[in-house]
Amino acid sequence: QGQVAESGGGSVQAGDSLRLSCATSGRAAASAAAAVGWYRQAPGKEREFVSSINWSGEVSHYADSIKGRFTVSRDNAKNVVYLQMNNLKPGDTAVYYCAEASSLVWSMESLRPGNGFWGQGTQVTVSS
């Protein structure tokens, strides 16, 4: 049901910025309820919700842990969703995943790993 691929990860110092990209086939935009979400999983930790956006309505949602530092945006012409990460902290170190699903933007917070369509992840490492 379309390709989902994350890119843009890397190793940075605390306080630096990165922009992650999620390339999709545009399938998420075919439904009024479609949304794209960002998630992250640190080694030995549970996967957690980061942010989500509805491609049709410019509505976004953020986890409290990154609110004020990360910004999710989209470029529908290129079928790409971005996660701009500013003022990165060591606690942000994780594999970051992108997923698309037929869900409302707020419901993406509860998306299970077995649901929707997920990319393979991109590593973000933040050192002190």
Side-chain angles (χ1 to χ4, degrees):
Q1 189 62 46
Q3 296 291 108
V4 178
E6 308 92 340
S7 62
S11 298
V12 299
Q13 294 289 122
D16 287 349
S17 298
L18 284 173
R19 189 180 74 166
L20 306 184
S21 299
C22 175
T24 75
S25 65
R27 294 289 187 179
S31 172
V36 173
W38 286 99
Y39 308 80
R40 66 186 184 184
Q41 187 168 22
K45 305 293 185 180
E46 297 179 351
R47 185 172 299 183
E48 66 173 337
F49 169 80
V50 175
S51 183
S52 58
I53 186 169
N54 186 311
W55 287 8
S56 297
E58 289 282 347
V59 178
S60 58
H61 176 52
Y62 298 93
D64 290 341
S65 60
I66 55 83
K67 200 169 187 178
R69 297 188 296 120
F70 293 7
T71 302
V72 64
S73 62
R74 59 173 171 81
D75 186 338
N76 285 349
K78 295 188 289 187
N79 297 323
V80 174
V81 173
Y82 302 102
L83 183 67
Q84 178 67 45
M85 307 187 296
N86 297 326
N87 191 24
L88 284 161
K89 305 176 183 297
D92 297 320
T93 296
V95 176
Y96 283 70
Y97 297 92
C98 179
E100 58 180 347
S102 298
S103 302
L104 299 176
V105 62
W106 286 83
S107 298
M108 295 294 286
E109 182 175 336
S110 302
L111 186 70
R112 297 182 61 84
N115 296 330
F117 300 91
W118 295 77
Q120 295 300 305
T122 184
Q123 177 71 46
V124 172
T125 302
V126 185
S127 59
S128 301

